[in-house]
Amino acid sequence: MNFIETRGNDGEHPLEATFSSAILAPIASFGGIYVPKTLPDLGLSFLQTHLNSNYKTLAKAVLNAFEIDIDATVIDEALSLYDQFDDNTNPVPLVKVKDDLYISELYHGPTRAFKDMALQPFGVVLSSLAQQRNEHYLIMAATSGDTGPAALETFKNRANVQVACLYPDGGTSDVQRLQMVTEDAKNLKVIGIHGDFDDAQNALKRLLGSATFKAKLKEKNIHLSAANSVNFGRIIFQLIYHIYSYLELVRTQAIKLGDKVYLDVPSGNFGNALGGYYAMKMGLPVEKILIASNKNNVLTQLIKFGQYDLRDMSVISTSSPAMDILKSSNVERILFDLFGSERTKELMAQLDNDNHYELSATELAEIQTMFAADFCEDKEGKEYIKEAFENNYLMDPHTATCFKAYDTCRDKPLITIAYSTAEWTKFSPTIANALTGEQDANDSDALESIAKEANINIPAIINDLFSKEIAQSTIIDKQDIEQEILNFL
Ligand SMILES: *Cc1c(COP(=O)(O)O)cnc(C)c1O
């Protein structure tokens, strides 16, 4: 199946792109992104067929339905990475926490956060394409925490791909920093910069747009790419677990095949929610998708009032930092799907130029047939963490935002699947504070106190980080980044 562009065609890009070219060069005409030209039907008969399929079999069937131009052997190798998740037969456990609330845990991969669900297989696909084409890629990432470790982990020692990962020194948690700086492989470069996440991101954007930098890469025969979540190569792997979790509910007889459910998604760049939206469009019985945010509540404003308004807004630091986002990139794909390319181009131009757009009343009504949204303040989130813990469920602050949406956004008493996007080990100081009241603990102390409180062990994969050798010790000023990367290459 081919891919088309969200903002229409400028006459310079091809009218349609294959899956592989859409993932190697993800930016389309007028700064748009790629979407599938049509969606396959994965309705009741597909679900019935795969009622007892394991995760990889289901994943293969979903990918096949998209008819993507990736060899079966590459897909098999990509999906085999799910064998290294905690339970090699089931990468995404579903846990019942209330009579009508189930948590689908997306964090059982190597970096303990949901980015692994897509980046693990994506790394294999991208590296294989680069090898087949005999091309070399530099993947650039700027991270405030989760994308960096997941990107390094997936591309480590893969052929034809090198990664340069920028993080703000002092701006990530200890665990996240250690996950990056202990990565020891020739094709990885981790660069701490003096500054905050915006500085890292701006430096990245400047390099991605810099003609001289690109010319220097060209001399070395290296193409530039980014591992961010607008890449459809990541989105396609984020469809599967929504379908899988639904089938788990049928298998455990919580619902009958065909019953509708709510999907409740902690959202930032909207990749996870978009996967749910496509699954629903392809026939998964979903009543609505609940969009949970933190105090950076642009998505709540959009879905409640039809306003995407960044005027007078700046990013607020919260205890769910992976959702501290104002420009939520994948919303564009929903706009395209509902309102077409001309309108999407117009709205995205308004957002770029005026920091604001407003949907019409009919457009808003259409969005609201499929989505509802609410946001959760840090203080409420901590109360949800404590309450869940008292009911024997330990969760992280991103997951906690779903509990607010579960409480306020449902208008029918239907079974709800909420998504847990990070393990407790990644955001331990906030959780320790919620459980015991202790303030400003470092990660190591917070991990200890949660483990004691919950009577569990700190997973070895996290504990070992604190004694692992530091392999990446570069910390520099912003203006030295370009030279540092060129030296690395
Ligand atoms: C990336 C991330 C999110 C947000 O997911 P999107 O697909 O960007 O909406 C939520 N929680 C955690 C822990 C994440 O790493």
Side-chain angles (χ1 to χ4, degrees):
M1 167 184 317
N2 279 343
F3 285 73
I4 53 176
E5 306 165 284
T6 50
R7 302 186 195 179
N9 186 265
D10 61 7
E12 284 170 28
H13 290 72
L15 278 173
E16 294 187 6
T18 60
F19 178 75
S20 57
S21 54
I23 71 174
L24 288 172
I27 301 303
S29 300
F30 309 115
I33 47 184
Y34 287 99
V35 285
K37 192 175 172 190
T38 54
L39 290 173
D41 175 8
L42 304 184
L44 290 183
S45 79
F46 177 90
L47 296 174
Q48 184 68 53
T49 306
H50 287 285
L51 189 50
N52 292 309
S53 294
N54 64 28
Y55 196 87
K56 283 197 293 181
T57 306
L58 175 72
K60 231 171 138 164
V62 173
L63 296 175
N64 282 341
F66 274 91
E67 297 171 11
I68 55 178
D69 60 332
I70 304 293
D71 294 344
T73 51
V74 174
I75 289 180
D76 283 341
E77 192 197 338
L79 296 177
S80 74
L81 292 179
Y82 291 126
D83 296 343
Q84 288 154 32
F85 282 44
D86 291 337
D87 176 348
N88 62 9
T89 62
N90 179 8
V92 184
L94 188 71
V95 180
K96 181 174 182 170
V97 292
K98 295 187 185 187
D99 279 344
D100 59 357
L101 179 60
Y102 289 73
I103 310 268
S104 172
E105 295 180 344
L106 303 177
Y107 58 75
H108 288 276
T111 71
R112 318 316 283 166
F114 113 99
K115 301 291 187 285
D116 289 331
M117 290 305 303
L119 274 168
Q120 280 283 302
F122 178 73
V124 172
V125 172
L126 195 90
S127 161
S128 301
L129 285 176
Q131 289 171 68
Q132 280 167 17
R133 296 180 178 215
N134 203 15
E135 293 172 347
H136 288 260
Y137 282 82
L138 169 66
I139 309 278
M140 301 258 298
T143 185
S144 63
D146 282 342
T147 302
L152 295 166
E153 186 62 32
T154 195
F155 290 116
K156 149 169 100 181
N157 295 322
R158 291 210 183 278
N160 297 43
V161 179
Q162 288 169 285
V163 181
C165 177
L166 309 177
Y167 73 94
D169 183 40
T172 69
S173 76
D174 295 341
V175 165
Q176 290 170 324
R177 181 179 52 82
L178 289 171
Q179 283 181 322
M180 294 186 274
V181 299
T182 57
E183 283 286 19
D184 189 9
K186 274 209 190 75
N187 69 330
L188 306 179
K189 180 74 190 176
V190 179
I191 302 173
I193 62 162
H194 299 128
D196 59 18
F197 173 63
D198 279 337
D199 294 320
Q201 179 139 7
N202 289 336
L204 173 75
K205 282 189 182 152
R206 223 178 20 251
L207 281 180
L208 289 174
S210 155
T212 57
F213 184 61
K214 277 190 211 153
K216 284 180 189 155
L217 292 183
K218 205 164 176 194
E219 276 169 31
K220 297 175 192 279
N221 234 332
I222 294 175
H223 299 258
L224 196 53
S225 190
N228 57 18
S229 79
V230 296
N231 197 310
F232 203 86
R234 283 178 59 178
I235 301 296
I236 201 165
F237 290 107
Q238 296 185 8
L239 272 151
I240 300 156
Y241 52 73
H242 295 288
I243 302 171
Y244 182 79
S245 298
Y246 180 91
L247 290 174
E248 279 282 279
L249 285 176
V250 180
R251 285 192 278 271
T252 55
Q253 297 179 351
I255 57 171
K256 292 193 303 296
L257 190 66
D259 288 351
K260 287 198 169 176
V261 298
Y262 287 106
L263 306 181
D264 184 359
V265 188
S267 294
N269 240 337
F270 216 81
N272 195 352
L274 181 74
Y277 172 83
Y278 282 140
M280 172 168 77
K281 294 281 287 199
M282 296 186 319
L284 192 70
V286 173
E287 174 69 21
K288 267 185 192 175
I289 301 172
L290 314 182
I291 302 300
S293 306
N294 61 29
K295 214 172 172 187
N296 296 288
N297 63 353
V298 281
L299 295 170
T300 309
Q301 301 297 317
L302 176 68
I303 289 162
K304 277 196 168 159
F305 309 114
Q307 300 262 357
Y308 206 110
D309 194 350
L310 302 180
R311 294 170 299 189
D312 309 319
M313 288 276 264
S314 51
V315 179
I316 304 164
S317 293
T318 72
S319 52
S320 44
M323 293 154 60
D324 291 350
I325 286 175
L326 292 180
K327 277 201 178 170
S328 179
S329 318
N330 279 300
V331 170
E332 178 165 353
R333 288 190 164 107
I334 305 283
L335 298 178
F336 171 83
D337 202 57
L338 297 177
F339 314 130
S341 62
E342 223 164 283
R343 181 67 172 148
T344 303
K345 185 176 171 213
E346 180 180 57
L347 292 172
M348 297 315 292
Q350 285 173 15
L351 188 61
D352 281 343
N353 299 332
D354 311 335
N355 267 327
H356 171 245
Y357 66 72
E358 183 172 356
L359 301 179
S360 71
T362 39
E363 288 169 339
L364 176 59
E366 198 168 344
I367 293 245
Q368 289 176 340
T369 62
M370 285 170 258
F371 294 100
D374 204 353
F375 69 99
C376 179
E377 306 246 7
D378 285 354
K379 189 163 164 293
E380 296 171 291
K382 276 194 274 185
E383 283 158 17
Y384 283 118
I385 290 171
K386 186 150 208 277
E387 189 191 323
F389 183 69
E390 282 159 6
N391 293 308
N392 288 316
Y393 191 70
L394 182 57
M395 68 181 173
D396 100 296
H398 301 81
T399 314
T401 63
C402 289
F403 280 65
K404 174 77 179 284
Y406 164 85
D407 277 343
T408 62
C409 294
R410 307 185 318 153
D411 37 34
K412 294 184 183 166
L414 297 174
I415 300 270
T416 300
I417 303 171
Y419 292 91
S420 181
T421 49
E423 189 177 58
W424 62 275
T425 53
K426 290 205 87 169
F427 301 96
S428 54
T430 301
I431 301 169
N433 177 256
L435 301 188
T436 70
E438 74 184 87
Q439 303 271 1
D440 304 322
N442 61 30
D443 280 36
S444 176
D445 292 342
L447 285 165
E448 294 283 352
S449 60
I450 298 166
K452 189 159 151 253
E453 197 73 14
N455 202 13
I456 51 177
N457 291 323
I458 302 168
I461 200 173
I462 296 291
N463 223 2
D464 292 351
L465 288 172
F466 293 94
S467 52
K468 237 172 147 180
E469 204 169 312
I470 306 292
Q472 308 267 357
S473 54
T474 306
I475 298 173
I476 55 177
D477 287 329
K478 286 179 287 190
Q479 62 270 20
D480 300 329
I481 294 171
E482 177 168 349
Q483 196 51 50
E484 190 70 36
I485 293 175
L486 289 170
N487 291 348
F488 158 63
L489 297 172

